[in-house]
Amino acid sequence: MRIGMALNYSGGFKETVAELADYEKAGLDIVFVAEAYSFDAVSQMGYIAAKTERLEIASGILPIYSRTPTLLAMTAAGMDYVSDGRFTLGLGASGPQVIEGFHGVPYTAPLGRTREVIEICRKVWERERLTYEGKHYTLPLPADKGTGLGKPLKLINHPVRPRIPIVVAAIGPKNVELTAEIAEGWEPIFYMPEKAADVWGPSLAAGRARRDASLGDLDVIAQAALYIGDDGDGLLELGRSMAALYIGGMGAKGKNFYNELARRYGYEKEAEQIQELYLAGNKKEAEALVPQELLERMSLIGSEGFVRDRVQAMKESGVTTLNVTPLGRTHEERIRLLEQVKELAA
């Protein structure tokens, strides 16, 4: 099991990266850099590539709508080059609030677009003269949609790797099925190992049944807050506000993927009430309704024995990369936490 970590994208980036070398020495395998509506992730990942030597670097995630498929492929090839083959392209559809609100692009056909983006990326990396006829993307652009002067081109540079790993962030049944079919890795959110088989098992099985053997086994990447000790009870509560934000506020009614996931986990009543309260501006009341069981089972916070059992539960459910957020009070404590979970996962 690999140990990963997500980097905070809200500020203090240079200071965070300065500490990243210590995490690398402590055994961190991969770092994920988000791109929401803050600084772009690519400039930050390039900076990380220059400051590290062994650490794998992943976008976590780049939205499929904010760049053309070809630019996503070019960006991934460039990142793979500057990192000497350490890059993973993390993709996702994001959501309509960000895509239409911040980028001004229609949030349409996320499933179909994801498939076509991945197919185009792989053609670019193989340095074929790029032609593609899909439902959502046609390359070159047909004459009736442009000047008619477009011509098939191929990537000038030779990529470090002709096949850069692709991870897709997905939680919906059809999205997860697609991911298991065509991507190297799958990154869900709010992962509960006890519920994973019931919620995602059929989708994963259906996708794997059509999976090309050349892709290898699906890398399952689960996120979890981390603290090992008997004094971490209050730390569990730190996840409450984020859970309420996603379940209650990340999308309108009927268009909140995280709310739907909470319902599929069996928290239908709580999910409905959290959303009602959050959208009405009653955030504290919404936070109070986040199920304690949900917070406990998707985290690694507790005694060493408890965390060991949770890591084992993650493994048994199929997790192959554990993406942790160390909650130590100091940098030294966070390093030690990383070393401890690395030992428990070994």
Side-chain angles (χ1 to χ4, degrees), residues 212-234:
D212 190 317
S214 67
L215 289 170
D217 293 334
L218 183 70
D219 183 19
V220 179
I221 303 162
Q223 306 168 20
L226 171 68
Y227 185 81
I228 302 174
D230 297 322
D231 57 344
D233 292 343

Side-chain angles (χ1 to χ4, degrees), residues 16-29:
T16 302
V17 173
E19 297 177 346
L20 197 56
D22 294 333
Y23 289 113
E24 184 179 35
K25 292 174 184 176
L28 185 67
D29 296 299

Side-chain angles (χ1 to χ4, degrees), residues 5-19:
M5 187 175 74
L7 235 60
N8 190 343
Y9 55 78
S10 60
F13 182 79
K14 289 184 179 180
E15 293 79 4
T16 302
V17 173
E19 297 177 346

Side-chain angles (χ1 to χ4, degrees), residues 18-58:
E19 297 177 346
L20 197 56
D22 294 333
Y23 289 113
E24 184 179 35
K25 292 174 184 176
L28 185 67
D29 296 299
I30 185 167
V31 62
F32 293 81
V33 182
E35 183 175 88
Y37 38 97
S38 181
F39 294 136
D40 78 287
V42 180
S43 59
Q44 300 181 67
M45 291 188 294
Y47 186 77
I48 291 172
K51 296 291 184 178
T52 57
E53 298 176 357
R54 175 193 58 81
L55 191 65
E56 293 181 51
I57 303 163

Side-chain angles (χ1 to χ4, degrees), residues 129-145:
R129 291 203 175 274
L130 187 58
T131 59
Y132 188 86
E133 291 188 15
K135 182 176 180 180
H136 308 288
Y137 303 101
T138 303
L139 302 169
L141 193 66
D144 62 344
K145 293 185 178 180

Side-chain angles (χ1 to χ4, degrees), residues 63 81 284:
Y81 176 76
K284 289 299 179 184

Side-chain angles (χ1 to χ4, degrees), residues 33-36 41 59-64 67 90-94 167-169 187:
V33 182
E35 183 175 88
S59 54
I61 49 97
L62 296 182
I64 60 171
R67 297 171 176 84
L91 297 173
S94 186
V167 167
V168 177
E187 185 177 8

